[in-house]
Amino acid sequence: MAVFYDYETRQYSLHTANTSYIMQEREGFLVHLYWGKKLGGDCSYMFREQGRAAFSPRMENCEGFILDDIPLEYPCWGRADMRTPALEITNHDGSVIVDPRVVSHRIIKGKPAIKGLPATYAESDDECETLVIELFDPVGGIKVELYYCVFAQRDVITRYASVTNRGEEPVFIDSIASASVDFDSINFGTHCRERNIERAPLKHGRFIMSSRRGASSHVHNPFLILTSPGTDEVSGDAYGFVLVYSGSFSAEIAANQFDTARAVIGLNRESFRWKLEPGEVFTSPECVMSYSGDGLDRLSSNFASLFRERLCRGKYRDIRRPVLLNSWEACYFGFDSERLMLIGDSCAELGIELMVIDDGWFGKRDNDRCSLGDWFVNEKKLPGGIKRISDHLAKKGVKLGIWFEPEMISPDSELYKQHPNWCLHYNNRPRSEGRYQLILDLTRKDVCDYIYDSVAAILREGGISYVKWDFNRNMSEAGSPLLPADRLREVDFRYYLGLYSVLERLVTDFPDVLFESCSGGGGRFDAGMLYYMPQVWTSDDSDAIERLKIQYGTSLVYPMSAMSAHVSASPNHQTGHVTPFDTRFTVALTGSFGYELDPTKLSDEDKNKVRETAAFYKQYGEVFARGDYHRLRDPHSENCSAWCFVSQDKNVCVAGYVLTHVRLYGNNERVALRGLDPDAIYKEKFTGAVYRGDQLMNFGLHAPTTLEFHSILWVLEKQ
Ligand code: GLA
């Protein structure tokens, strides 16, 4: 059992294999006592009433209970806690108070689904146990239910909250967090940024990472990790929070005058307000939390394996993804059927399994100024349609994929002529364009149906095995004229309910199609999208050297199989970096693998490389898809980057190293691997050298130190 309640002490204990999370009811409040390494027993003594008022009011009839100095599980605004709340409500009388107290709890086997929202799931009731604590505010008639789903074997607890209006008048939810945790110390740093890592000491005040862009965004990613100062990959405390949501969010860590810290993560209150009618329920997105006492490596693997196995779904969840070639950097908008078929022929010759037609196949689209929304084939460019190309490829054993940007509308489009009001907008305001496009109003059912129907129509024609689903601007003037004035701040959340409903229909109706999410690269690389699409185009920056940091940061919480990474041309189109083929390959191997170049233009030598590398990926694909990933060198702070994948049975290890900056005569670089069987003998595939596992982990392998942007790939197989 993972969840325990002690009636005498009113203590709730959530235990996983290595961690414990302890709460207690006091004065009707749900108080946080502990989160960390596993422990047992009565933890009441951990509660410390210090009477530190410092201008903060005391609770009535309760000397010493100073709400502002008490670690609360789900702090609500309006009483005397001055810190950031998890819940704010404006009652029908205008009062801004919500004061729910514990009334009951229940323990459920398994994990309930969250209606309309993406969430982690259990495949059997034994995998997870859920504690639901019910609180009630009789004055406002507000019921709050806190869900704690405990994946005991995975050291993960997920949380969300639901609010029910049991009163007789509507109320407004002004803000609602998915999780809030109070720590009794501020001895932390923070990890953040869209996957280029920044680590900062926690100071007094509030540190907020957020997006109000109507997307999780390139700028900040909806996760937060708190570490103790010395935490590294293999030692120290790390507390992680990941939000399962793709829209505007906020992740805050704040330290107050009592040197305590509160982490709050959830919807961004700046772009949210929800009118809750009597009898209605609002449920927050899920927040996935994990604690590791053994550093970041363990924390990442807790998140990555849960997301890979119990968030991603569908037939591609557990298998190596096809080796693909994407047409974008190969020809941008400049293609026709003949050129695509030639590229397809090369794919067949080189062992590439799937060719993707990127942007430019529909409407009259020859550049990015028109046609989004017109999801019919441009017969001038592709006479005979997509089917002609897929039939041609099928004969050669190559599958076809296709790009869509279904949430968008170009003002220069047939769709816009027919439905100028189908975009997000306010009637009396201008409509700002981003990349010459507007965003469709997915709060509307007719618009969602149009999106489903137009994508489904193309997929029903047959011959398409893969969809790249793009989203190339963020929201502004995000109004929806069909909504009444007092519901306009619901647009951000309603938009995502609409999007998720469309995606659910598509993934259900087209179970054989592999969906890849994209938003100008990784502008919506979040756990919400992973529920529908098991991989994401990690970044529009396809430069191998730049990707080192991006992929390193992404690996903190997301599975490697979710990161699409392609070998692109050299010089690279974004940075101009010239890198050897082997380095581009070594870096692209760390994700779902493919090519982003025109194979018909390659030298014979490079063609051979493509052939060899595609074969290599197929051979070791299982290790990349399901193996454990270990970060070995940090490109943010070192002159190199290194990592390894180890198969779950520890029989195969593939390790990569890239030298990003040469320091002449500078070092005797060696890379110590992780996760191997210490007593086993491993043979390196390319050199034939043999090593013991403990040698590889404690001394390591010599790495090249002389040629900038050069790399080495080691394959170690157990003898
Ligand atoms: C975005 C994507 C690219 C490509 C273009 C097409 O920028 O990230 O990979 O698909 O759109 O317009």
Side-chain angles (χ1 to χ4, degrees):
M1 276 204 341
V3 178
F4 297 87
Y5 179 70
D6 185 311
Y7 282 89
E8 209 169 296
T9 57
R10 286 165 295 147
Q11 177 176 311
Y12 302 87
S13 308
L14 313 181
H15 296 301
T16 69
N18 299 293
T19 74
S20 297
Y21 189 101
I22 316 279
M23 302 167 270
Q24 191 171 42
E25 182 204 327
R26 284 184 176 249
E27 310 297 340
F29 288 94
L30 193 59
V31 162
H32 178 81
L33 291 186
Y34 176 81
W35 185 21
K37 285 190 181 146
K38 193 164 188 166
L39 47 72
D42 177 2
C43 296
S44 305
Y45 80 95
M46 293 179 185
F47 182 78
R48 197 166 173 194
E49 214 169 68
Q50 300 195 73
R52 300 185 290 193
F55 274 64
S56 305
R58 293 166 195 279
M59 285 296 298
E60 65 283 356
N61 311 325
C62 198
E63 197 56 27
F65 203 79
I66 292 157
L67 218 49
D68 198 26
D69 190 24
I70 284 182
L72 294 167
E73 265 306 301
Y74 200 69
C76 297
W77 184 249
R79 300 303 311 275
D81 178 5
M82 310 295 177
R83 295 162 292 178
T84 302
L87 182 67
E88 291 171 275
I89 283 188
T90 302
N91 297 293
H92 70 95
D93 62 1
S95 61
V96 192
I97 292 188
V98 57
D99 189 12
R101 307 293 175 95
V102 176
V103 288
S104 65
H105 76 271
R106 56 189 194 277
I107 298 170
I108 309 169
K109 277 259 159 234
K111 183 172 190 292
I114 312 180
K115 196 163 170 270
L117 287 174
T120 57
Y121 56 89
E123 286 201 328
S124 78
D125 283 355
D126 304 338
E127 286 181 11
C128 187
E129 208 166 72
T130 300
L131 167 68
V132 188
I133 303 177
E134 184 183 324
L135 301 95
F136 188 61
D137 174 355
V139 181
I142 297 297
K143 176 171 112 174
V144 177
E145 284 184 308
L146 302 180
Y147 287 77
Y148 296 83
C149 310
V150 187
F151 286 92
Q153 292 317 312
R154 297 175 178 276
D155 284 338
V156 166
I157 296 170
T158 82
R159 287 181 61 178
Y160 57 95
S162 79
V163 175
T164 308
N165 181 358
R166 299 243 296 250
E168 276 162 19
E169 302 287 339
V171 300
F172 287 94
I173 303 175
D174 297 320
S175 75
I176 178 165
S178 301
S180 170
V181 177
D182 281 344
F183 295 90
D184 67 355
S185 128
I186 61 169
N187 208 9
F188 289 120
T190 61
H191 263 103
C192 65
R193 296 291 290 225
E194 191 219 15
R195 292 123 52 204
N196 266 248
I197 296 173
E198 259 181 31
R199 192 166 173 150
L202 180 57
K203 304 221 167 101
H204 289 108
R206 298 166 72 188
F207 175 87
I208 302 174
M209 273 189 320
S210 67
S211 161
R212 57 187 306 184
R213 295 169 163 269
S216 48
S217 93
H218 299 82
V219 189
H220 295 146
N221 198 279
F223 75 83
L224 178 77
I225 298 175
L226 298 173
T227 61
S228 40
T231 296
D232 57 21
E233 287 292 333
V234 291
S235 67
D237 296 316
Y239 295 86
F241 303 80
V242 184
L243 194 65
V244 187
Y245 185 61
S246 314
S248 302
F249 74 93
S250 160
E252 167 174 334
I253 173 81
N256 73 356
Q257 73 276 30
F258 302 126
D259 289 346
T260 64
R262 172 173 290 173
V264 183
I265 184 158
L267 299 173
N268 188 339
R269 71 181 309 285
E270 294 165 348
S271 47
F272 175 84
R273 190 176 207 225
W274 192 271
K275 187 175 182 185
L276 199 65
E277 297 285 353
E280 282 182 352
V281 185
F282 181 91
T283 303
S284 76
E286 180 178 40
C287 173
V288 180
M289 313 196 312
S290 186
Y291 162 77
S292 157
D294 303 315
L296 289 166
D297 186 301
R298 166 81 71 94
L299 188 79
S300 299
S301 121
N302 292 347
F303 283 123
S305 60
L306 179 79
F307 291 161
R308 197 173 62 220
E309 294 161 11
R310 293 294 180 267
L311 176 66
C312 294
R313 299 175 294 169
K315 82 175 218 190
Y316 288 95
R317 187 187 77 174
D318 298 326
I319 56 174
R320 164 182 86 67
R321 313 283 158 71
V323 175
L324 65 80
L325 181 136
N326 186 44
S327 72
W328 183 240
E329 290 189 23
C331 33
Y332 297 98
F333 293 103
F335 58 77
D336 56 18
S337 298
E338 302 314 311
R339 180 143 185 222
L340 290 176
M341 289 196 277
L342 277 180
I343 293 178
D345 293 346
S346 281
C347 288
E349 248 176 64
L350 302 175
I352 295 168
E353 298 163 299
L354 189 146
M355 185 188 89
V356 183
I357 310 178
D358 205 285
D359 197 353
W361 57 268
F362 52 92
K364 52 170 185 165
R365 190 149 162 115
D366 284 325
N367 55 47
D368 59 7
R369 293 178 180 236
C370 67
S371 300
L372 294 172
D374 297 346
W375 300 111
F376 46 84
V377 173
N378 180 340
E379 285 278 342
K380 270 196 207 145
K381 269 171 137 170
L382 308 182
I386 301 281
K387 194 71 177 46
R388 182 172 154 229
I389 302 174
S390 67
D391 285 347
H392 175 87
L393 293 185
K395 280 189 214 129
K396 314 240 162 178
V398 175
K399 294 191 167 148
L400 184 69
I402 194 168
W403 179 96
F404 283 98
E405 199 179 353
E407 298 160 68
M408 298 291 164
I409 180 166
S410 306
D412 180 4
S413 65
E414 295 304 315
L415 185 66
Y416 198 76
K417 274 187 211 142
Q418 288 163 26
H419 298 291
N421 288 329
W422 268 17
C423 60
L424 291 172
H425 71 285
Y426 292 110
N427 281 330
N428 52 355
R429 301 277 180 189
R431 305 169 178 195
S432 305
E433 291 174 20
R435 208 192 188 203
Y436 313 100
Q437 64 202 50
L438 299 163
I439 304 184
L440 283 169
D441 181 357
L442 272 70
T443 71
R444 297 173 59 140
K445 171 114 181 23
D446 50 358
V447 173
C448 288
D449 287 345
Y450 173 79
I451 292 179
Y452 172 84
D453 290 342
S454 37
V455 174
I458 298 278
L459 298 184
R460 283 206 179 98
E461 275 177 32
I464 294 176
S465 308
Y466 159 106
V467 165
K468 177 174 174 187
W469 183 290
D470 216 335
F471 177 85
N472 276 323
R473 61 158 291 180
N474 289 154
M475 287 181 196
S476 62
E477 302 104 22
S480 176
L482 296 192
L483 290 174
D486 60 0
R487 288 196 178 272
L488 277 175
R489 287 175 78 97
E490 297 178 7
V491 166
D492 194 303
F493 192 72
R494 283 183 184 275
Y495 180 93
Y496 278 94
L497 292 180
L499 174 63
Y500 293 147
S501 74
V502 172
L503 297 180
E504 187 62 35
R505 286 174 74 189
L506 284 168
V507 300
T508 308
D509 292 351
F510 299 96
D512 293 332
V513 173
L514 170 59
F515 285 85
E516 172 161 329
S517 168
C518 177
S519 171
R524 233 173 22 187
F525 200 129
D526 56 66
M529 293 308 283
L530 286 181
Y531 186 62
Y532 306 96
M533 310 191 182
Q535 62 189 53
V536 187
W537 179 229
T538 312
S539 173
D540 266 352
D541 192 339
S542 66
D543 178 284
I545 303 304
E546 292 295 300
R547 275 293 188 101
L548 291 172
K549 284 186 191 159
I550 294 168
Q551 293 174 188
Y552 183 100
T554 310
S555 77
L556 277 178
V557 296
Y558 299 111
M560 304 310 286
S561 56
M563 290 183 220
S564 281
H566 299 169
V567 175
S568 57
S570 176
N572 178 265
H573 292 193
Q574 291 84 42
T575 62
H577 278 158
V578 174
T579 39
F581 190 101
D582 289 349
T583 298
R584 285 176 275 143
F585 168 64
T586 300
V587 176
L589 269 183
T590 54
S592 280
F593 178 74
Y595 302 87
E596 191 83 22
L597 42 72
D598 185 346
T600 63
K601 294 195 175 140
L602 294 178
S603 65
D604 284 348
E605 192 192 338
D606 276 358
K607 275 192 185 152
N608 273 336
K609 295 257 184 202
V610 171
R611 202 172 282 117
E612 279 165 29
T613 50
F616 181 93
Y617 188 74
K618 287 179 205 163
Q619 184 179 355
Y620 293 99
E622 177 65 16
V623 184
F624 304 117
R626 294 162 61 75
D628 292 325
Y629 175 79
H630 304 282
R631 293 173 295 267
L632 304 174
R633 282 283 196 287
D634 182 355
H636 296 82
S637 53
E638 301 182 71
N639 67 333
C640 60
S641 186
W643 59 89
C644 67
F645 286 86
V646 181
S647 62
Q648 286 185 357
D649 58 11
K650 296 184 189 297
N651 282 350
V652 184
C653 167
V654 181
Y657 172 93
V658 179
L659 183 63
T660 51
H661 182 77
V662 171
R663 286 194 219 120
L664 282 181
Y665 310 116
N667 45 24
N668 300 306
E669 184 63 78
R670 54 189 156 85
V671 179
L673 309 182
R674 215 177 295 137
L676 302 176
D677 177 350
D679 299 320
I681 303 292
Y682 290 88
K683 183 170 180 186
E684 208 285 315
K685 178 185 172 85
F686 301 112
T687 58
V690 288
Y691 311 92
R692 278 179 57 92
D694 51 10
Q695 292 174 332
L696 292 166
M697 292 195 289
N698 294 321
F699 182 87
L701 292 162
H702 293 296
T705 55
T706 48
L707 282 173
E708 206 143 274
F709 296 172
H710 278 239
S711 62
I712 185 158
L713 186 68
W714 295 286
V715 179
L716 295 143
E717 285 165 318
K718 208 182 205 179
Q719 295 304 289

